[in-house]
Amino acid sequence: MISAPRRRLTPPWYGAEARRALAVGLAAAGVALVSGWPYWQEHRISAAVTLTSSAAIAIEGVLLATGGRTRPTGRLFVLAAFAWALNWLASWDAGPGPLLSPYMQAQFYLALGAGVLLYPGGRLECLADRIWLIAACMILWVCPTALWVFSEPEWAAFRGRTVWWPALYPDMEVFRVVLKASAALYLLLALSFVVVLLLRLPRMGRLKRALTLPVTGALTFVGISAALSQRPIMEASVTLDDLLRVYALQGAVVILVPLTLLASGVRIRVAELTVAGRMLRLTAPVTVERVRGALRDVLHDPTLELWFWAPVEGVYVDTDGRPVAVDDSGGDHAEAWGNPAGGDAGRWRRKVLTAAGDPLAIVELGGSLRDHGSLVEAALVAGGRALETARLQATVHANLEQVRSAYERLVRAEAVERERLARDLHDGAQQRLLALGAMLATLEAVSGEAAVKEHTRTCRRELMAALAELRSLAREVQPALLVQDGLGPALEVVAERIGTRIRLDVEPRRYSREIESTLYAVLCEALSYAVDRARATSVSVRVRPDGRELVVEVSDDGGSPGDPAAELAGLSGRIRALRGHVHVDGDPDRGTTVRMVLPCE
């Protein structure tokens, strides 16, 4: 027999963590109620505010302690809540309460400050954090100790007969100096805490800064308010009622901390809920670049990189389809690997799988997003379909990239072969023809027959003509001047041979062998078009590097009878093989301009 399901008596959001947090919060409020009972009987509003702040800090601490990286902050907040509750033992004006109260107050501010410095990464990220924490420990523990060493309890607002107060070296003058020094040190500590918080902000990622900034502002206000409100009671013979009134004021201000933390948490949850809609809007229509841009926008990380798995090639490729060497061993879609150090300076990789468990993509993010893993997961889940569509496009890009790479290898091999052929023509065939010419000259000189001399001279003339044609062919295949001195001097020889007025603006810089060989060939073709087809009387050639690109422009004043782009289409294949592009702009009235851009890293 199957029993009917039991009716749920609690709402679905009220889980074990919420029950535990509420229990700890009620415990902190209970401790505060008992500790300050003598004062609460006549100050009910202060009691409500103090109990609420103690419970709120404890509840926030327990909730933060459930997270991986926020666990240290959560535990310190729970400690701070109970320290603040025990701080009210001073209201009894009897026993050890007055002696413990300053230490509990110091422990409260120390735990609160350390918890905020550890939030949300769970570690102290810079040297200034550690220095401030050490200084805070010294000041917040030494000052209360000096208070009871150099005073009688009556001087410190406690006049009960059973107060535990050692008073080792009571001296009113020294006590006044201790009070003034303590007030100055508390104010200095609060201001230095503000500086430390501000120094942390530039080193944080955009998302982490947005989350931490409200907490930083709240702690800044709380710290300065606590230091300023403490100053008026740092006088000898202050009344206990004035002392407790300051404690109540500080408790009212401190409630800003859990409220701002709650607001930051709600903001992250709202971002997780709205990430799906934003991803759909930003990726429509789906392209590889749009998907990457959408992830960068949603996660506030402009350095985000996206690599897709190409199953046919068996490698990861970038958004342009180029293979990328990525080590994806030792992780699944829920694991992170990469550089774990450095906080925001490190990098973090997430492997994305398809619904069938096959590799889909790898996302590399800034290290600061480790603290927002749930938001990253929500963005990747929301963009799953877009990632699959973009993967198909990336696979097509990878296939095109293979074609381009093959063409590029062909161009490089052609450049090497041109150089080899030119060298063979110069060192082999030309030298043999020159030697043959010398032999014919010797034969002409030693021969006594007129007919033989005439035939010898004729052979020599034909041989010299063939040698001239061979040298011209060698120059066209690969000019020696191009190999030795570069593109500029080689183009000067071409300009002199053409005869038309040609203005050269070529920076004296060497480039790779394939770039120089390809540019020489396409510039010769462009100049030949300008002179032979466009009938130009003036041609300008400009070759200038622009950052990581090489920009080449050929302009003429001629007018082609046909379409310049179609007649110069052969240039595009050579330039695209080197990952460049060509733009041809021609008009019979204003001439033709050919602009070529090549990468030249």
Side-chain angles (χ1 to χ4, degrees), residues 159 185 215 338 365:
R159 294 170 176 81
L185 288 174
V215 182
L365 314 102

Side-chain angles (χ1 to χ4, degrees), residues 348-401:
W348 182 38
R349 290 179 182 173
R350 292 292 300 267
K351 187 176 180 180
V352 186
L353 304 179
T354 63
D358 299 324
L360 175 59
I362 286 180
V363 183
E364 185 179 82
L365 314 102
S368 62
L369 285 171
R370 290 176 182 270
D371 303 324
H372 311 289
S374 57
L375 180 61
V376 174
E377 189 68 24
L380 295 179
V381 170
R385 291 293 181 87
L387 284 170
E388 292 184 2
T389 304
R391 198 265 293 272
L392 297 177
Q393 296 182 7
T395 303
V396 174
H397 290 170
N399 295 333
L400 294 176
E401 179 63 23

Side-chain angles (χ1 to χ4, degrees), residues 17 22 111 131 152 157-158 261 280 294 307 422 433 449 477 499 506 556:
E17 292 83 2
L22 183 59
I131 293 176
E152 296 288 352
F158 304 111
L261 282 170
L280 289 176
W307 303 307
L433 290 176
E449 299 182 8
V477 170
V506 182
D556 63 67

Side-chain angles (χ1 to χ4, degrees), residues 525 529-530 533-534 556 558-572 583-588 590-594:
E525 183 176 346
Y529 167 81
R533 293 285 295 163
D556 63 67
S560 175
D563 182 11
E567 297 192 28
L568 293 172
L571 303 181
S572 300
H583 177 69
V584 180
D585 183 16
D587 187 273
R590 53 186 176 84
T592 303
T593 299
V594 181

Side-chain angles (χ1 to χ4, degrees), residues 432-442 460 463-464:
R432 291 193 177 190
L433 290 176
L434 287 173
L436 181 58
M439 293 171 62
L440 289 174
T442 302
R460 287 185 63 196
L463 183 63
M464 291 299 104

Side-chain angles (χ1 to χ4, degrees), residues 117-317:
L117 291 180
L118 291 170
Y119 178 80
R123 59 185 175 274
L124 298 176
E125 297 182 356
C126 57
L127 181 61
D129 298 351
R130 299 178 178 88
I131 293 176
W132 183 90
L133 199 55
I134 293 172
C137 290
M138 295 176 62
I139 293 173
L140 293 176
W141 285 93
V142 171
C143 289
T145 303
L147 187 69
W148 56 260
V149 168
F150 297 105
S151 71
E152 296 288 352
E154 294 82 5
W155 303 350
F158 304 111
R159 294 170 176 81
R161 293 184 179 181
T162 60
V163 172
W164 295 6
W165 199 266
L168 298 179
Y169 306 103
D171 187 316
M172 178 60 75
E173 294 302 322
V174 176
F175 178 61
R176 293 181 186 277
V177 172
V178 168
L179 289 177
K180 291 181 180 179
S182 299
L185 288 174
Y186 289 155
L187 184 58
L188 178 63
L189 191 64
L191 294 176
S192 63
F193 185 70
V194 175
V195 173
V196 169
L197 291 178
L198 294 177
L199 288 176
R200 300 173 72 214
L201 293 178
R203 284 188 284 267
M204 295 180 179
R206 182 178 173 185
L207 188 60
K208 188 173 180 180
R209 190 183 303 122
L211 182 64
T212 308
L213 193 57
V215 182
T216 300
L219 249 302
T220 299
F221 180 73
V222 168
I224 295 178
S225 300
L228 294 177
S229 62
Q230 192 81 4
R231 191 176 184 86
I233 62 171
M234 302 303 283
E235 299 290 342
S237 302
V238 67
T239 65
L240 180 60
D241 194 63
D242 292 338
L243 178 66
L244 297 178
R245 188 180 301 114
V246 170
Y247 286 177
L249 176 62
Q250 292 177 356
V253 174
V254 163
I255 201 171
L256 288 175
V257 177
L259 290 179
T260 51
L261 282 170
L262 179 62
S264 298
V266 170
R267 182 177 180 180
I268 289 294
R269 294 299 174 265
V270 170
E272 293 175 5
L273 293 174
T274 59
V275 70
R278 294 182 63 190
M279 285 295 296
L280 289 176
R281 290 196 304 271
L282 293 173
T283 56
V286 175
T287 64
V288 175
E289 291 76 12
R290 278 181 174 272
V291 172
R292 183 179 63 180
L295 288 173
R296 286 179 174 180
D297 183 78
V298 168
L299 299 177
H300 304 287
D301 183 7
T303 66
L304 181 145
E305 290 296 336
L306 184 61
W307 303 307
F308 293 95
W309 175 253
V312 177
E313 292 77 8
V315 295
Y316 283 95
V317 297

Side-chain angles (χ1 to χ4, degrees), residues 421-438:
L421 183 58
R423 185 172 59 251
D424 290 347
L425 288 175
H426 181 271
D427 298 337
Q430 290 189 51
Q431 298 302 323
R432 291 193 177 190
L433 290 176
L434 287 173
L436 181 58

Side-chain angles (χ1 to χ4, degrees), residues 458-513:
T458 302
C459 289
R460 287 185 63 196
R461 285 196 299 271
E462 293 296 328
L463 183 63
M464 291 299 104
L467 184 60
E469 292 179 359
L470 185 62
R471 286 173 174 168
S472 176
L473 176 62
R475 282 195 301 269
E476 292 178 0
V477 170
Q478 185 83 331
L481 198 59
L482 177 66
V483 177
Q484 296 172 3
D485 299 330
L487 190 62
L491 289 177
E492 290 177 1
V493 174
V494 175
E496 292 175 1
R497 188 170 68 247
I498 290 177
T500 304
R501 184 186 173 196
I502 298 177
R503 296 189 301 274
L504 296 176
D505 181 11
V506 182
E507 184 172 303
R509 174 180 169 183
R510 297 306 301 267
Y511 304 98
S512 64
R513 180 168 53 189

